[in-house]
Amino acid sequence: MQIASADYNAMKQLKTFETKEELNNTVRAFLYHYKHELTPAAILTLKTISRFALKIPGVCWAKISTIASIIEKSSRTIHRALKQLEDLGIIERLKTIRKNGGYGHPVIIIKPIPGLLLPDHVTSDVTSEMSHRQNTTNTDMTSVQSAKNDSETEIFKTESLRVNKNNNTYMHKREIDEIELDSNFVSKEVPGEFVKKVKIAFDKAKQIERLWHSTKVAFQKVWGPCRIDEKSLELVFEAWNKTVKKYKQRKIEFNKIPGYYYGTLYGMVYDEKMSIYNKPQIPEILRYDFIEGESL
């Protein structure tokens, strides 16, 4: 199903709840039953979506970038969270089409789940209340500013039963999965000076390790199996500085940096080898010490 972007009347037709209380209770019940299966990012994403889905109960038109900014996660993390929530059946994403053609950002629908209820013995810490929002006749559907300015509901935590040790382990695994492997996780094989140099452009461990691999390949292509010593690192850093300068001069694009760096370093290593092999040789006769009677 596709709807026109910024069409408020079409949005109203997507309403999935009659009242804000119904929406709130559905989200609370879902979190009670499925919290152990959700990543922390998915939980925060669902709570944030529910706050934006009050004007038309169940319908959220906030942009991914807005949600990411609010919960301080990357857009990629939000997409993964939405995928998980969609797989569990609590939300649905619908494409929108702009008036001038092309797709707009998707509308996120929170769906009722029949039979999903909170047990009688479970109560919220504080009675959940849905805040009143002023009716707006001229709604800017491309902005969520009004949603942020209005007082918003908070989905309060529910008092749940103790989870067993296996569920605790599962949750810890989820949290670990969310960790970004930055420069602190780079293999010890990569010199610290190299990491410090290149992390101004590439801060992920995998990116830095891939760049170091291309560094080793550049030397091996010229010298064969070899060890990159301190003197060789001087060439490495000179090649990197040339690459950064070229980018700063806007002569190469950012995604071309690894390839340009490799080509520059390879050329420098090759030139160094040629300078050694082409170095003028001293004739043997000039190496003989006629005074001492032995070769120098």
Side-chain angles (χ1 to χ4, degrees):
M1 178 180 179
Q2 295 177 350
I3 60 174
S5 180
D7 187 339
Y8 186 69
N9 290 327
M11 297 287 184
K12 289 197 294 185
Q13 300 302 315
L14 300 175
K15 181 176 71 171
T16 50
F17 298 92
E18 292 301 320
T19 66
K20 298 168 185 177
E21 286 72 20
E22 288 182 7
L23 167 63
N24 186 36
N25 290 335
T26 294
V27 173
R28 288 177 56 231
F30 177 82
L31 290 176
Y32 173 81
H33 289 283
Y34 290 96
K35 187 174 182 179
H36 66 283
E37 296 185 31
L38 298 171
T39 64
I43 295 172
L44 288 174
T45 298
L46 179 58
K47 290 182 178 181
T48 303
I49 290 171
S50 69
R51 293 168 187 152
F52 283 112
L54 298 178
K55 185 71 177 178
I56 303 174
V59 182
C60 167
W61 56 85
K63 294 180 179 179
I64 299 298
S65 58
T66 300
I67 299 172
S69 176
I70 290 173
I71 69 174
E72 298 181 341
K73 299 288 184 182
S74 67
S75 294
R76 182 178 297 181
T77 298
I78 302 304
H79 280 294
R80 289 199 298 264
L82 291 174
K83 176 66 166 56
Q84 186 182 29
L85 294 171
E86 197 164 32
D87 289 344
L88 290 173
I90 186 63
I91 68 164
E92 179 183 3
R93 287 177 285 182
L94 300 178
K95 292 181 179 180
T96 61
I97 302 177
R98 297 190 182 99
K99 291 182 179 179
N100 58 353
Y103 290 114
H105 64 276
V107 174
I108 304 170
I109 309 298
I110 300 177
K111 300 165 60 179
I113 301 180
L116 191 68
L117 302 171
L118 281 171
D120 294 337
H121 65 276
V122 176
T123 59
S124 59
D125 298 331
V126 182
T127 303
S128 298
E129 296 178 353
M130 291 294 186
S131 62
H132 171 71
R133 298 185 179 220
Q134 296 178 345
N135 292 325
T136 306
T137 56
N138 184 19
T139 305
D140 180 7
M141 299 298 288
T142 61
S143 170
V144 295
Q145 189 61 42
S146 63
K148 289 194 288 185
N149 290 338
D150 290 330
S151 57
E152 297 173 341
T153 186
E154 179 179 358
I155 306 296
F156 293 98
K157 294 181 179 179
T158 57
E159 177 187 345
S160 60
L161 298 174
R162 289 181 176 272
V163 294
N164 58 36
K165 188 177 294 185
N166 288 336
N167 282 340
N168 276 329
T169 302
Y170 184 81
M171 284 301 296
H172 290 317
K173 177 182 179 301
R174 286 289 191 176
E175 291 171 3
I176 292 175
D177 288 343
E178 288 293 315
I179 295 175
E180 294 282 356
L181 298 182
D182 58 17
S183 60
N184 294 316
F185 292 86
V186 174
S187 168
K188 291 183 179 180
E189 175 194 359
V190 185
E193 292 179 77
F194 182 82
V195 176
K196 186 177 179 180
K197 274 276 187 183
V198 304
K199 73 178 183 179
I200 61 171
F202 303 103
D203 60 351
K204 299 294 186 293
K206 189 173 182 179
Q207 295 172 322
I208 296 173
E209 289 170 355
R210 188 180 295 126
L211 203 63
W212 178 247
H213 175 73
S214 68
T215 300
K216 294 192 298 181
V217 170
F219 278 92
Q220 291 168 3
K221 287 279 187 180
V222 177
W223 292 105
C226 62
R227 176 177 173 272
I228 300 178
D229 55 19
E230 290 185 9
K231 185 177 180 181
S232 299
L233 277 177
E234 292 178 6
L235 277 181
V236 170
F237 296 151
E238 185 179 349
W240 175 253
N241 289 339
K242 287 183 177 181
T243 304
V244 172
K245 183 178 180 180
K246 190 68 68 172
Y247 170 72
K248 294 293 287 184
Q249 293 172 339
R250 296 296 184 263
K251 294 183 178 180
I252 59 172
E253 296 178 2
F254 184 81
N255 62 349
K256 303 294 184 183
I257 286 179
Y260 186 88
Y261 162 73
Y262 170 79
T264 302
L265 178 60
Y266 175 82
M268 292 172 64
V269 175
Y270 181 82
D271 289 345
E272 181 188 51
K273 181 179 181 179
M274 290 299 99
S275 68
I276 294 174
Y277 284 153
N278 295 331
K279 187 175 181 180
Q281 299 295 315
I282 301 175
E284 189 63 31
I285 190 171
L286 297 182
R287 295 175 179 271
Y288 188 80
D289 188 335
F290 290 93
I291 297 176
E292 298 294 336
E294 59 183 16
S295 296
L296 298 174

